[in-house]
Amino acid sequence: MSERARLLELRGVDKSFGGLRVISNLDLHVDEGEIVSVIGPNGAGKTTLFNLITGLFRPDAGEIILDGDSIVGLYPHQITKRGVARTFQTLRLFLNMTVKENVMAAQYGRTHSTVFEAMLRLPRARREEREIARVAEEKLAFFGNRLMGYRWNQPAYSLSYANRRRLEIARAMATEPRILLLDEPAAGMNPAETHEITELIGKLREDAGHTILVIEHDMHVVEGISDRVVALDHGVKIAEGTFDAVATNPRVVEAYLGASATVTK
């Protein structure tokens, strides 16, 4: 198997809020085509990690490299245009807009027609609107009958919780990302839904070609999807490797259980 190209890399990244260090000298990388899971107890710095990568926060020290170029200091919309898309632990959809409109909204930052052209429905604006609608339908079709057909014109608030999660992923896909950042995609789901989201993440890599960095608490999901697992505790990387190696690491067990333990399988 040929060596994968490194797509995303963090080198010596630090972030503090006041006197509290949330991320400490973190080195992390994701190679092209990989699925890497980040685990850790609450307060480990996982969501802060995503906020640093997507430009919501700026690191106090260190570098964040995307495909060979630093993205530190770029605005979130600039980082999105370079190929980073994310979902959120707490769903952030436009609930009163339709399913299709939610996905279309993610693409308007890539259009070129002016406000004047859009208001007068001039040819370039109409062409771009048709293309945006086509892409939205293509991304929604990836999810099969869950988000197809009559659902396109339903308001997002009418969807089930699991389908809202799928819609948020579809919206992220519409930005044509190089790497998808999924923040607890299985949160709040029942076992059947969790199984489906595990299969979906695999399809996002195998069928849609996405590289994925995911935060997840459900160890069944992590085991089912991950090429590598990175464990954080209070912003410090305490383990990295295969799921089995990380899940049985004494420092990881201690971080989750609060006491040293020996895990046997």
Side-chain angles (χ1 to χ4, degrees):
M1 181 177 176
S2 60
E3 188 174 343
R4 291 166 167 161
R6 188 153 295 185
L7 181 57
L8 177 71
E9 185 173 12
L10 281 71
R11 302 174 184 165
V13 170
D14 280 320
K15 183 63 184 177
S16 298
F17 297 100
L20 178 64
R21 180 174 279 187
V22 182
I23 298 290
S24 181
N25 195 31
L26 179 62
D27 294 330
L28 182 151
H29 72 275
V30 185
D31 294 339
E32 193 93 45
E34 265 195 314
I35 300 177
V36 176
S37 294
V38 179
I39 67 169
N42 291 331
K46 302 183 299 296
T47 295
T48 298
L49 167 64
F50 273 22
N51 289 338
L52 288 166
I53 294 169
T54 55
L56 293 176
F57 300 151
R58 182 168 183 161
D60 300 324
E63 283 294 331
I64 303 175
I65 309 295
L66 178 68
D67 200 19
D69 295 319
S70 174
I71 57 174
V72 172
L74 297 182
Y75 290 109
H77 72 275
Q78 294 172 315
I79 294 173
T80 298
K81 283 187 175 181
R82 292 196 178 205
V84 179
R86 72 174 294 183
T87 64
F88 292 86
Q89 183 177 352
T90 303
L91 285 167
R92 299 188 184 182
L93 296 171
F94 302 113
L95 293 177
N96 289 316
M97 291 170 58
T98 68
V99 167
K100 187 174 174 180
E101 286 169 344
N102 264 272
V103 182
M104 291 174 67
Q107 301 174 69
Y108 282 108
R110 308 168 74 89
T111 59
H112 301 287
S113 50
T114 64
V115 173
F116 180 77
E117 288 174 305
M119 289 174 61
L120 296 182
R121 303 290 296 159
L122 296 180
R124 181 165 70 165
R126 292 201 305 271
R127 283 196 303 272
E128 289 187 336
E129 191 78 11
R130 287 194 297 270
E131 178 61 14
I132 284 171
R134 184 197 66 77
V135 172
E137 292 170 5
E138 176 187 288
K139 301 308 178 187
L140 290 167
F142 182 82
F143 297 84
N145 59 12
R146 297 290 189 177
L147 295 177
M148 281 293 287
Y150 71 95
R151 294 192 192 277
W152 287 352
N153 296 317
Q154 287 186 318
Y157 68 74
S158 69
L159 295 178
S160 68
Y161 177 79
N163 281 340
R164 291 185 192 186
R165 284 278 178 196
R166 292 182 178 94
L167 177 56
E168 192 175 37
I169 295 172
R171 188 176 63 184
M173 292 170 67
T175 67
E176 305 294 351
R178 300 284 309 281
I179 182 169
L180 268 174
L181 277 54
L182 305 179
D183 194 345
E184 296 195 31
M189 293 190 179
N190 62 40
E193 292 167 338
T194 297
H195 177 72
E196 288 183 3
I197 206 73
T198 303
E199 292 186 335
L200 172 62
I201 294 170
K203 281 184 61 182
L204 286 168
R205 192 254 300 272
E206 301 303 329
D207 297 346
H210 292 299
T211 300
I212 299 170
L213 180 64
V214 58
I215 294 169
E216 187 50 67
H217 277 295
D218 190 311
M219 290 298 110
H220 294 294
V221 177
V222 175
E223 183 177 20
I225 64 173
S226 305
D227 295 311
R228 279 187 298 116
V229 179
V230 175
L232 300 182
D233 186 28
H234 294 93
V236 176
K237 182 167 71 174
I238 58 173
E240 179 177 2
T242 64
F243 173 82
D244 287 342
V246 172
T248 57
N249 184 292
R251 294 185 68 187
V252 176
V253 174
E254 182 175 356
Y256 273 98
L257 301 181
S260 297
T262 301
V263 177
T264 58
K265 293 195 72 177

